Amino acid sequence: MRRISSILLLLCLPLAGCQGWQSALDVHGPAASSLARMFWIFVAVLATVWVLTMAALLLSLRRRRAADADPLVTDPGTERRMTITISAAIGLTLVIVVSLTGLSYAAQKVLFAHKDGTLTLLITGHQWWWQVTYEDPQPNRVFTTANEIHIPVGEPVLIKLESSDVIHSFWIPNLTGKMDAITGRQNQIQIQADRPGIYRGQCAEFCGLQHAHMGLLVVAESKEDFERWRNHQISSAIPPSDAEHQRGMEIFLSKPCIMCHQIRGTDAGGKTAPDLTHVGSRRYIAAGTLETTRGNIAAWIVDPHGIKPGVDMPTIQLEPNEVQPLASYLEGLK
Amino acid sequence: MKHLPLILLSAILLSACEREDREYRSNPVTAETEEKIALVPLSAGPSGPTEHRSGLGKEYEENAYHIAQGKKFYVWFNCNGCHANGGGGSGPPLMDDRWFYGGQIENIVQTIREGRPNGMPSFRGKIPDDQIWQIAAYVRSMGRNVPKAAAPGRNDDMHSGPAEQRRPPGEVIDGGQVPPAAQMPQ
Ligand SMILES: [Cu+2]
């Protein structure tokens, strides 16, 4: 009894995958819903076929074999029944294959249909984080951020995908299927969220040591909230408000940090690592690995390789009394 | 059990699976290794100039991971802005055998740390020390002064010449010496 119940429990485990902020079956957008519909139809049809096949197998196992079947002796009645059964099986197979093909073709039409929207994002995959640039016809409204994208609800958003090093794959299961980011070319995909919410995405193409720690967040919000967020992100970093933040900024600007990171409004202009202008406003640091808290920022700066071994951010010499102001300054960059 | 020897033999193959050691985390304590290099072979006295090389160079030069990281940082820190892909621009070429300040890895490390008077900026305090070593190892790979197995292979994007790995091996370079090719005609 114990055995059986633990097996049953194990079988229930996959059900946990049906819900949550990173699940292809908990749909919040048109592309994901057509994918999920297709998934369930496939599951239903294939499950029926499986059950029928198994039933036929069991039946034939139970049936006694005819005494001494002679392959050369034919009986027209049996012959006819066999012909009907086999043609029916072949016909059904054909019908299933053709209709499932037609179904996925129809779903693709929905997935790859281009809808007109106003928002275009350029997302570049790096080992192991996502760089996000919000494009705009007005150059002074273009800005760059990392690992967290905000989109207005109910609007299609065009995403251009590029990669700076190896192949990555952009995947927001709740909203849409996967699309690869490939060096030397640009792929496009559209996402749309029907309901406000936070959806987690994940790199879906093995891209090296820290592939598993290459997540991103999509925050879908109302048009007004989105515009407020965008205007804030466009602005330069808030100048330090107290002595500690001031000291943190000075430390940041005097260290190698500026070679890689940008903080708009200061002299730090590096473009090869996440833009930190508003890092404190993001929910996570290090591509969905740690929540943005002062302690986590400090832990990351002191030992990035303890958290993501092999990451391209070096361990940088800091005096013990420099960590606190630096972390507090970065956390304050809301 | 006839197959036991065969199975054991193929298990030996597994021993080849271990790769080079990769050191991701740099030493968090020392700020800078101590390299004492002389830029000329001349010395006041009968013996050569006093030099001290930490010997760390080998670890970087013979390690494919370090060289590949160096290649990435060479672009990140804009060395290519002045030296192009090694062929030279406003800064001198780095893939040939002519070195003003020596072509051994310690010399290159010192060049990057200190800067050089005719326009090479100093990167001390701007690039952490182990990354300087990685970049220097990559610079050494441009003229294939590193083992073939460790030199970078083909680029993923457009490339202007054969990969470092396919270049002919470079001459052995002594620090601070002018090669015959660069000597003034007598
Ligand atoms: Cu990946």
Side-chain angles (χ1 to χ4, degrees), chain A residues 128 167-169 203-208 211 214:
Chain A
W128 293 280
I167 301 180
H168 303 276
S169 188
C203 177
E205 177 77 39
F206 182 71
C207 57
H211 164 64
M214 186 169 165

Side-chain angles (χ1 to χ4, degrees), chain A residues 127 165-166 183 209 254-256 258-260 272-273 303 305-306 309-317, chain B residues 22 24-31 65 69 72-73 75-77 123 125-128 130-131 156-157:
Chain A
Q127 284 172 320
D165 33 48
V166 297
T183 44
L209 272 181
S254 66
K255 299 282 172 186
I258 51 167
M259 301 290 287
C260 301
T272 51
D303 190 13
H305 291 259
V311 72
D312 282 330
M313 168 150 159
T315 315
I316 287 159
Q317 300 277 315
Chain B
R22 294 182 166 186
Y24 301 123
R25 226 188 203 134
S26 54
N27 186 337
V29 183
T30 48
Y65 172 71
Q69 287 297 97
K72 183 184 281 184
F73 295 133
V75 177
W76 278 25
F77 300 138
F123 286 89
K126 299 292 183 285
I127 306 183
D130 61 319
Q131 296 194 327
D156 275 345
D157 44 8

Side-chain angles (χ1 to χ4, degrees), chain A residues 153-199:
Chain A
V153 162
E155 255 187 53
V157 177
L158 179 66
I159 294 189
K160 302 177 179 169
L161 284 169
E162 291 180 359
S163 164
S164 71
D165 33 48
V166 297
I167 301 180
H168 303 276
S169 188
F170 175 85
W171 188 31
I172 317 286
N174 299 75
L175 301 183
T176 183
K178 300 169 190 172
M179 180 61 81
D180 280 2
I182 298 173
T183 44
R185 64 168 289 162
Q186 192 177 75
N187 285 342
Q188 297 194 341
I189 190 170
Q190 274 189 321
I191 60 172
Q192 179 176 337
D194 292 335
R195 275 176 288 281
I198 301 180
Y199 311 113

Side-chain angles (χ1 to χ4, degrees), chain A residues 30-334:
Chain A
S33 83
S34 78
L35 279 173
R37 191 181 321 120
M38 198 157 70
F39 173 82
W40 286 119
I41 294 177
F42 266 73
V43 167
V45 171
L46 300 186
T48 318
V49 170
W50 187 78
V51 167
L52 287 179
T53 314
M54 286 302 137
L57 243 161
L58 279 182
L59 222 81
S60 57
L61 274 180
R62 288 182 58 96
R63 240 170 88 163
R64 176 106 47 84
R65 189 186 287 228
D68 40 8
D70 183 346
L72 294 182
V73 180
T74 49
D75 162 38
T78 334
E79 207 61 2
R80 207 179 27 164
R81 260 184 290 134
M82 272 161 68
T83 316
I84 291 174
T85 319
I86 290 175
S87 340
I90 292 178
L92 261 177
T93 309
L94 274 179
V95 168
I96 290 175
V97 169
V98 168
S99 48
L100 287 187
T101 310
L103 201 78
S104 49
Y105 180 73
Q108 283 199 6
K109 287 208 106 159
V110 177
L111 286 184
F112 297 131
H114 179 84
K115 283 183 249 155
D116 282 331
T118 48
L119 199 57
T120 304
L121 271 55
L122 173 65
I123 298 190
T124 311
H126 298 278
Q127 284 172 320
W128 293 280
W129 60 282
W130 304 92
Q131 182 179 9
V132 184
T133 301
Y134 278 73
E135 300 193 338
D136 202 285
Q138 267 171 278
N140 63 348
R141 289 183 57 81
V142 175
F143 69 92
T144 302
T145 175
N147 302 329
E148 182 175 312
I149 61 186
H150 287 231
I151 57 172
V153 162
E155 255 187 53
V157 177
L158 179 66
I159 294 189
K160 302 177 179 169
L161 284 169
E162 291 180 359
S163 164
S164 71
D165 33 48
V166 297
I167 301 180
H168 303 276
S169 188
F170 175 85
W171 188 31
I172 317 286
N174 299 75
L175 301 183
T176 183
K178 300 169 190 172
M179 180 61 81
D180 280 2
I182 298 173
T183 44
R185 64 168 289 162
Q186 192 177 75
N187 285 342
Q188 297 194 341
I189 190 170
Q190 274 189 321
I191 60 172
Q192 179 176 337
D194 292 335
R195 275 176 288 281
I198 301 180
Y199 311 113
R200 195 179 187 281
Q202 169 67 35
C203 177
E205 177 77 39
F206 182 71
C207 57
L209 272 181
Q210 292 303 326
H211 164 64
H213 288 144
M214 186 169 165
L216 83 162
L217 280 195
V218 176
V219 179
E221 54 199 4
S222 68
K223 186 85 184 159
E224 301 81 64
D225 285 346
F226 169 72
E227 285 304 338
R228 201 171 315 124
W229 175 84
R230 173 154 69 169
N231 288 331
H232 181 63
Q233 296 288 319
I234 290 171
S235 66
S236 300
I238 322 159
S241 52
D242 58 27
E244 191 181 50
H245 286 189
Q246 179 65 32
R247 173 140 168 68
M249 184 175 89
E250 281 159 13
I251 296 165
F252 187 90
L253 295 179
S254 66
K255 299 282 172 186
C257 321
I258 51 167
M259 301 290 287
C260 301
H261 291 286
Q262 181 171 43
I263 297 185
R264 282 175 272 133
T266 73
D267 288 339
K271 296 268 168 65
T272 51
D275 183 303
L276 299 180
T277 312
H278 298 290
V279 62
S281 75
R282 302 203 276 263
R283 285 163 177 77
Y284 286 86
I285 59 167
T289 309
L290 292 177
E291 268 179 60
T292 311
T293 62
R294 188 180 307 182
N296 283 342
I297 294 179
W300 172 259
I301 299 171
V302 170
D303 190 13
H305 291 259
I307 292 158
K308 282 173 92 165
V311 72
D312 282 330
M313 168 150 159
T315 315
I316 287 159
Q317 300 277 315
L318 291 171
E319 299 300 326
N321 63 359
E322 288 176 331
V323 178
Q324 160 76 11
L326 188 53
S328 145
Y329 167 63
L330 290 174
E331 188 209 14
L333 292 175
K334 294 290 181 196

